[in-house]
Amino acid sequence: MARIPRVPVREQNPTVRASNFEEVCFGYNQEEAMLEASRCLNCKKPGCVSACPVNINIPGFIMHIREGEFEQAARVIALDSSLPAVCGRVCPQEDQCEGKCILGVKGESVAIGKLERFVGDWTRENGIDLTPSGIVPKGIKMAVVGAGPSGLACAGDLAKMGYDVTIFEALHKPGGVLEYGIPEFRLPKESVVRTEINNVVKLGVKIETNVIIGRTVTIDELFDKEGFKAVFVGSGAGLPKFMGIPGENLNGVFSANEFLTRNNLMKAFRQEYETPIFVGKKVAVVGGGNVAMDAARTALRLGAEVHIVYRRTMKEMPARVEEVHHAHEEGIIFDELCNPTSILGDEKGWVRGIRCIRMVLGEPDASGRCRPVELPGSEFEIEVDTVIMSLGTSPNPLISRTTPGLEANPRQCLIVEEETGQTTRKGIFAGGDAVTGAATVILAMGAGRKAARAMDLYIRGLAGE
Amino acid sequence: MISWRFYVNIFIMYKILTKDILAPGIFRMDILAPRVAASAKPGQFVIVRMDEKGERIPLTICDYDVEKGSVTIVVQVIGGSTLKMSQLEPGDTLADFVGPLGQPSEMLSEKFEDLAAKKIIFLAGGLGTAPVYPQVKWLHHQGIKADVMIAAKSSGLLIMVEEMKKVAGNVYIATDDGSEGFHGMITDCLQNLIDRQGGSYDLAIVIGPMIMMKFAALLTQKLSIPTIVSLNTLMVDGTGMCGACRVTVGGKTKFACVDGPEFDGALVDFDEALRRQTMYKGYEGKKLYEEQCALGIETCKCPK
Ligand SMILES: Cc1cc2nc3c(=O)[nH]c(=O)nc-3n(C[C@H](O)[C@H](O)[C@H](O)COP(=O)(O)OP(=O)(O)OC[C@H]3O[C@@H](n4cnc5c(N)ncnc54)[C@H](O)[C@@H]3O)c2cc1C
Ligand code: SF4
Ligand code: FES
């Protein structure tokens, strides 16, 4: 039987999109989705499902797409994921479901991510309401810290069980990284992110913005003064790392978080918004993850020539393959195998260049990736006027420091029981980047949902059920 | 386009309760923000956003009233956003008001006996008088009288002198043009005071424009007075997320919003802090010109 090839997805032309913030990928239409779905073998022991961090019944929803039963497909996904339109766009599918798809062994895997996205988008565009009716209110107050994917997922599930849930969010807008980190051209805010938040609010979840737990109120005050019975901490990993090399505080050096927050949360790319953003003529982005790609492609769209400076090669980059590919297509220059040793300033203290050393790949380290080793005497300079540091982030210690008994490891990650999200303090649960350090949307969402189940058991235990 | 707020059911309005003009281009507002009022401490600050399109502006807390649920801020018109804010009136609302941010003043965690034994002087430059006030008031409530030196370009730009007199020990005034009090810079005024009265101080707390804090800290170091400064760096989130606020203190990079805003004046790299403050100068200036122009304000110097 002749196999049909993977159905290509329509995208904005690279030269056009390099100067706008519209979404790059258009996604499948119904016909394309049904055709792609027909490629799935509906395996008895599907590799994809076990490689999905939340074990979505992938062949199950794909079979419904094949039959044109999109609402049923949505219901299958909803059993395990509350954010299909988001995860279909941002999951590293090549390392997860698609990486283990049987078709991928010899040819091309099923485009599971694109199909998931199709279902998410179709549900939204057709106004399908998947919220269960007849939720019986329990009248028990639950608090969630942080309105990122983990907090939203936890809050949504708790609300479905009948709890009275309030999310406290430090920023002025909910969404977490979905709002402040991942750019518009990869994850549209008005349509996709807003809908996901709205779905949680429709369940009766209250979101109070501008509340920094640990500053505005403490977790103990939530328990003692505001009558919350359990708390979920989904505060993410927002603290940027710097390299600690000379010149990092020069004018024109930014963390990727600052650069992206100015552009995404504060909408600096739009004329009518007041927040300023600085992007020079030539930008060096240091790092090779999703955050680095997002910062680089944002700077490109703001009109700069952009270099990605990475100490390994493109192959080892932790970013999603699709993002590296898109960045390359758009004209980002990849300076592989080089590592900055210092940032150079002009007489006024503004960046004028970056000094790098060439690297070679050595033996694989514990993570299986080849360790980059410096090539002595190979230092050289790249002339740039902006440097964006994208070296990863770590959790903010604010909550652990202001909550007695809540313990974190030396990397500031909260210590929890893997299966339940139970922290070292009774009644407090945690999940997402706050526990794992910077990871993925799907893992954060999964952790939020696991914790919701454990919080329900905890409350029932208190009531002696 | 409907605002996302449409969907969020706890929609808190940060209402402006009172407004008064303290000096040309400087105004004071009481804002209804019960959660912030309940946890605010001297030395901390808030971040304010005027409307959906506004930037996040860090402002120091000038006073707070737990019962009324209000927080007092003092704002100087320096950019487009603050100009717009100056046009708001009581009854209007701010889109966002978040805090309290930063560490409370170091003296709050000091033992009473240690603090009471110290001779303290506050050096307040211009708008810096506002954040000095809650600290002096707090000391006053502890039964400690601190001296305060308030400086401004000229008499008309001095703010909160009467309020300060009610809670401070001696209040000294200095103006650059000599229109009121000592004629000269705050540093000369302090030197002069110490030369005249002989005794020195055990602690100086300096809050004002970065350049003033730099020179004040140089002088107090020479006079061997331990000195605390409160840094008004650029900020975005105010929670440690972006690093826009980074400063070098004692050779180490610190985030002013979470590690500060108060630091040891002797250890701060002021030249770097001054330089980093100018990062978006052209940008701000351009917007202000455009807006003043649109509003028909006479000082408009835009190139058109
Ligand atoms: C630029 C960028 C690109 C990324 N790209 C991808 C991708 O392509 N695919 C992927 O899977 N993952 C990606 N990630 C990672 C992914 O976004 C995160 O793993 C995920 O968002 C973590 O979810 P979370 O709910 O744990 O935390 P977050 O999304 O970080 O949300 C935490 C929320 O808590 C709030 N908060 C923090 N402290 C407090 C407090 N004290 N009080 C109240 N609220 C608080 C924060 O403001 C924030 O809104 C990316 C991350 C970034 C930064
Ligand atoms: S492994 Fe691939 S072919 Fe098999 S069920 Fe999953 S998606 Fe379909
Ligand atoms: S203002 Fe963003 S880290 Fe301090």
Side-chain angles (χ1 to χ4, degrees), chain A residues 89-287:
Chain A
R89 286 175 165 83
V90 305
C91 267
Q93 285 94 4
E94 68 275 8
D95 299 329
Q96 301 177 7
C97 54
E98 293 183 20
K100 288 278 148 54
C101 171
I102 191 81
L103 294 186
V105 177
K106 282 204 180 134
E108 284 183 300
S109 67
V110 173
I112 304 172
K114 296 287 179 286
L115 290 174
E116 184 190 16
R117 167 187 165 163
F118 166 77
V119 173
D121 288 352
W122 184 89
T123 316
R124 181 183 67 251
E125 284 155 13
N126 289 279
I128 306 296
D129 194 351
L130 297 172
T131 40
S133 53
I135 299 174
V136 188
K138 288 194 205 289
I140 298 172
K141 285 174 78 178
M142 302 285 238
V144 169
V145 182
S150 67
L152 290 169
C154 180
D157 278 11
L158 287 172
K160 284 182 201 156
M161 297 172 199
Y163 290 100
D164 176 5
V165 191
T166 306
I167 304 181
F168 296 99
E169 168 55 51
L171 292 171
H172 57 261
K173 248 178 167 181
V177 168
L178 309 184
E179 186 64 43
Y180 79 75
I182 305 180
E184 185 72 28
F185 54 82
R186 207 147 73 80
L187 185 63
K189 309 291 165 241
E190 289 293 326
S191 50
V192 181
V193 179
R194 164 93 56 85
T195 306
E196 300 300 353
I197 291 163
N198 190 24
N199 285 341
V200 173
V201 172
K202 272 199 291 196
L203 292 165
V205 172
K206 285 164 268 188
I207 302 180
E208 190 175 338
T209 50
N210 295 329
V211 178
I212 302 170
I213 301 300
R215 282 261 184 270
T216 317
V217 284
T218 60
I219 289 191
D220 280 306
E221 287 167 338
L222 292 181
F223 281 125
D224 301 341
K225 294 198 184 144
E226 303 198 21
F228 288 97
K229 296 290 177 238
V231 177
F232 174 78
V233 181
S235 51
L239 296 199
K241 290 190 187 120
F242 287 91
M243 291 185 84
I245 56 173
E248 257 180 328
N249 288 349
L250 288 167
N251 287 13
V253 184
F254 307 96
S255 73
N257 258 13
E258 175 180 356
F259 189 71
L260 289 169
T261 302
R262 283 181 184 276
N263 201 65
N264 302 339
L265 179 71
M266 307 309 295
K267 308 246 177 290
F269 70 94
R270 293 212 192 135
Q271 198 60 46
E272 68 277 22
Y273 284 74
E274 283 162 9
T275 300
I277 192 160
F278 178 85
V279 60
K281 290 196 177 62
K282 209 169 150 188
V283 179
V285 177
V286 183

Side-chain angles (χ1 to χ4, degrees), chain B:
Chain B
M1 197 165 65
I2 319 167
S3 153
W4 65 271
R5 281 170 177 280
F6 181 75
Y7 299 111
V8 173
N9 32 21
I10 299 192
F11 181 9
I12 294 181
M13 305 280 272
Y14 305 95
K15 197 158 140 192
I16 300 170
L17 300 175
T18 62
K19 174 189 178 186
D20 52 338
I21 311 283
L22 299 180
I26 301 180
F27 56 96
R28 172 167 60 191
M29 283 175 171
D30 280 357
I31 311 292
L32 185 65
R35 279 201 190 275
V36 185
S39 32
K41 301 262 173 5
Q44 292 185 299
F45 65 97
V46 292
I47 284 188
V48 177
R49 211 169 61 111
M50 292 228 327
D51 52 43
E52 274 308 301
K53 301 197 167 122
E55 45 181 331
R56 293 171 64 96
I57 314 168
L59 297 168
T60 43
I61 295 172
C62 172
D63 207 350
Y64 44 89
D65 186 325
V66 183
E67 259 149 56
K68 284 195 204 131
S70 67
V71 178
T72 310
I73 51 172
V74 173
V75 189
Q76 181 163 30
V77 178
I78 47 156
S81 312
T82 44
L83 178 69
K84 246 172 54 196
M85 199 187 293
S86 71
Q87 287 149 5
L88 296 178
E89 294 299 332
D92 291 340
T93 54
L94 300 170
D96 300 290
F97 193 90
V98 62
L101 298 158
Q103 303 291 339
S105 288
E106 211 178 270
M107 57 185 188
L108 267 72
S109 47
E110 241 178 284
K111 274 219 242 53
F112 175 78
E113 302 81 53
D114 296 349
L115 205 56
K118 279 184 191 166
K119 221 176 142 213
I120 305 173
I121 188 159
F122 285 86
L123 304 182
L127 199 71
T129 319
V132 159
Y133 176 72
Q135 304 200 23
V136 180
K137 185 174 157 188
W138 182 85
L139 284 170
H140 170 74
H141 284 305
Q142 312 295 311
I144 300 169
K145 286 259 180 264
D147 289 349
V148 181
M149 193 170 279
I150 305 178
K153 280 209 178 75
S154 71
S155 170
L157 290 170
L158 288 162
I159 58 168
M160 301 182 67
V161 176
E162 289 315 309
E163 289 93 327
M164 202 68 86
K165 281 182 178 161
K166 291 194 189 119
V167 291
N170 298 313
V171 174
Y172 306 99
I173 304 288
T175 52
D176 295 0
D177 65 358
S179 50
E180 191 173 335
F182 179 86
H183 185 172
M185 299 289 182
I186 200 161
T187 38
D188 301 330
C189 186
L190 177 65
Q191 182 73 62
N192 179 279
L193 176 70
I194 285 171
D195 292 346
R196 248 182 331 125
Q197 72 174 29
S200 187
Y201 287 93
D202 305 307
L203 176 64
I205 293 147
V206 187
I207 310 182
M210 197 72 84
I211 188 82
M212 168 251 178
M213 291 193 279
K214 172 184 168 173
F215 286 106
L218 281 175
L219 174 66
T220 52
Q221 230 174 308
K222 207 180 77 192
L223 298 169
S224 316
I225 310 172
T227 300
I228 285 169
V229 295
S230 176
L231 301 184
N232 48 331
T233 59
L234 289 178
M235 289 190 189
V236 181
D237 58 295
T239 64
M241 228 178 75
C242 72
C245 60
R246 54 198 199 279
V247 287
T248 303
V249 181
K252 292 210 178 73
T253 296
K254 299 272 177 194
F255 286 11
C257 71
V258 287
D259 302 320
E262 288 187 353
F263 292 103
D264 182 340
L267 300 179
V268 172
D269 181 343
F270 280 107
D271 292 333
E272 179 189 279
L274 279 162
R275 167 183 32 87
R276 288 187 56 82
Q277 265 191 333
T278 65
M279 194 103 74
Y280 298 99
K281 267 284 151 57
Y283 200 96
E284 263 293 359
K286 194 180 95 225
K287 280 226 161 143
L288 182 61
Y289 286 161
E290 280 166 12
E291 268 160 61
Q292 288 189 335
C293 200
L295 293 165
I297 292 177
E298 281 174 14
T299 54
C300 170
K301 296 189 278 271
C302 83
K304 130 188 138 176

